[in-house]
Amino acid sequence: QMTTELLKVETGVVTTPPLPSGGTKERYFDRIDVNDPEYIRSRNMSPDLRQDFNVLEQKKRVTQILQSPAFKEELESLIQEQQRKGNNPTGLLALRQIADTLVASSVAGFSASPLSLGMVTPINDMYGAEYATMVKGEKVTRCKLASLYRLVDLFGWAHFGNAYVTCRVSKEQDHILILPRGLSFAEASASNLVKLNIIGEVIEQGSTNLRTDPTGFSPHAAIYSIRPDIRCVIHVHTPVTAAVSSMKCGILPISQEAMILGDVAYYNYQGSLDDQEECRELQKALGPTAKVLVLRNHGMVALGETIEEAFHFVYNVQYACEIQVNAVSCAGSVDNLVMLDPEKYKSLVYDVAMDSSFAMCSQYKWKAGELEFESLMRMLDNLGYRTGHTYRQPIVREKPRHKSDVEIPATVTAFMFAEDMDGAPTRLPLKFLQQRQQREKTRWLNSPNSYTKVNVDGGEDRYNSRTTTWMKAEETGTPIRIEDPNQFVPLNTDPIEVLQKRNKPYVPTEEEQMAPLPPNPFSELLEKDTEERPKNVERRQLGLSGTPAHTHTHTHTHTHTQT
């Protein structure tokens, strides 16, 4: 009995009630009156005009929202909440997420996928007024350094205790940014970087309570103090760099990547710099120009005047070490490798790699590593990292305007190509262009005329003048769908013959040629002038006046009468 009741209950839960029979579902045409003038006007409207009206309605809606008192009150309450609770109220965070979504949807000309947004911790997480006291360019430097930490992590070069990336913020005060110990490189952001001075004292803690490692920072401090031209230092301890640093031969000149490194310095590093004597030895081994430092049995250090240049050197030193380790393992010995002449190749390859003349056609001068670094920033932004990187130049060209926006007279579309006139085969793009222009011309010529020319009397005040006006016709022409520019040409007609007849100049018929011409009113004057011209020429030759004979006779008679 209990089982039966449970079955009844389950059956009652599973069974869906029947559809109500009263009334039918309202459809679209039940809500529309086909005889409504507004509906007829919107139906006959062209798609372009309908889209323009929709955009205007949207703008009108936005204007109403901005001017509404409720929206102003909401903004005022949000500002008051921010002043009372700080810079992270719930409403402000929601607006910030919306703004990040809109900004990150277009990265240097590319459109980013909205599905990838918010899937990783953002790099640019600096908002609010507490960062207004930073020096000029510090926020951009923080975002770029945090992005460099993410790249080192993505390339697989990160090592918790033996990899450090630092950057100098200002040369005047020697403030240096570094990631605190305890955060992975994948967690680096602009706000959690710690600002230190040259002796390791904390100037600004950042957004975490974690501390830095003075042992790992000591080589960086020694490098910054002796090399004022260096702004970024990257220390990696990957397996291949550690392997090459343990070889007596060092970095061998067996690849182009090894040549790109230029002068390479070597130092017997013991894991820390305990006293000033060891710091001076490291500075002496580094020298004034080297950008790559090999720490014996402890990996590589790449230096750069910019963050991009430091990444350029660490990328190439990693590649050079991989090539060398593979080559040595395959050859069995260093003696079996083909060495390049450093004096012959190193300076040439290094100068080409550091030269920015390859971008001479651009309006920007790109330094070493900047172009590649911007491409990596676009990659991170498209993945949703929100780097906050300031792109120097968008790489996507502006789309050409629509043909209706081009300011060219309409008569230009009526020109013909010479190849078509001669019957010679033309290039496909030009042929397609000519066909499209001919279709546009034919469509315009066959459009129905909805206006009629009417002559209107001006009345007595206008002295019975007549004025020509264009009135809307009651009966318009019948539009015909133009599917072919030669739609009205008889079948089986040669298209070349059609073009020849169409462009043939007008020749009058025989009846028009035989028709008598109207009299010329100037013919009589021309005959009279032809008769008098030889007499005038003869008088000039005899030294007499050039006036006509009847004029002299009239003058003589007038004089005789006065006498």
Side-chain angles (χ1 to χ4, degrees), residues 105-175:
S105 62
S106 178
V107 179
F110 284 126
S111 59
S113 173
L115 298 177
S116 63
L117 299 178
M119 301 179 76
V120 294
T121 305
I123 295 175
N124 180 19
D125 59 349
M126 300 179 62
Y127 307 98
E130 67 268 16
Y131 300 103
T133 58
M134 291 182 176
V135 297
K136 181 180 179 181
E138 181 177 347
K139 180 180 178 181
V140 177
T141 304
R142 282 176 171 268
C143 293
K144 193 177 293 186
L145 181 60
S147 302
L148 182 57
Y149 270 103
R150 301 293 185 96
L151 289 176
V152 172
D153 175 68
L154 291 175
F155 279 103
W157 305 336
H159 197 291
F160 287 125
N162 295 316
Y164 289 95
V165 182
T166 59
C167 180
R168 195 202 306 259
V169 179
S170 60
K171 293 183 179 180
E172 292 79 10
Q173 299 176 349
D174 272 339
H175 288 169

Side-chain angles (χ1 to χ4, degrees), residues 219-265:
H220 295 248
I223 293 172
Y224 284 123
S225 60
I226 195 62
R227 293 286 295 271
D229 59 320
I230 298 303
R231 190 179 178 186
C232 182
V233 177
I234 304 175
H235 175 210
V236 292
H237 193 81
T238 59
V240 290
T241 55
V244 174
S245 66
S246 63
M247 296 180 183
K248 293 182 179 180
C249 59
I251 299 178
L252 299 175
I254 59 174
S255 63
Q256 182 178 0
E257 286 75 15
M259 296 297 181
I260 290 176
L261 302 179
D263 295 332
V264 179

Side-chain angles (χ1 to χ4, degrees), residues 45 47-63:
M45 187 183 302
D48 295 338
L49 288 178
R50 189 180 299 110
Q51 183 178 2
D52 293 342
F53 276 112
N54 292 335
V55 173
L56 290 176
E57 289 294 334
Q58 293 175 3
K59 292 182 179 179
K60 184 179 179 181
R61 175 65 175 166
V62 173
T63 305

Side-chain angles (χ1 to χ4, degrees), residues 195-204 217:
K195 185 190 296 185
L196 307 175
N197 58 13
I198 199 67
I199 59 176
E201 296 178 348
V202 177
I203 304 299
E204 187 176 337
F217 178 70

Side-chain angles (χ1 to χ4, degrees), residues 470-504:
W470 293 89
M471 304 294 291
K472 193 169 182 62
E474 298 179 356
E475 297 181 359
T476 60
T478 304
I480 300 176
R481 181 179 179 86
I482 303 300
E483 300 177 352
D484 185 9
N486 296 324
Q487 182 171 347
F488 301 102
V489 176
L491 294 176
N492 303 324
T493 305
D494 188 6
I496 300 178
E497 182 181 356
V498 174
L499 292 176
Q500 291 177 354
K501 290 184 177 181
R502 184 182 301 169
N503 299 315
K504 187 178 181 180

Side-chain angles (χ1 to χ4, degrees), residues 194-216:
V194 181
K195 185 190 296 185
L196 307 175
N197 58 13
I198 199 67
I199 59 176
E201 296 178 348
V202 177
I203 304 299
E204 187 176 337
Q205 177 60 38
S207 60
T208 65
N209 294 322
L210 301 175
R211 300 297 177 181
T212 59
D213 183 10
T215 303

Side-chain angles (χ1 to χ4, degrees), residues 219-220 223 233-236 291-295 299-303:
H220 295 248
I223 293 172
V233 177
I234 304 175
H235 175 210
V236 292
K291 296 294 181 65
V292 175
L293 173 64
V294 178
L295 300 178
M300 305 286 176
V301 178
L303 319 178

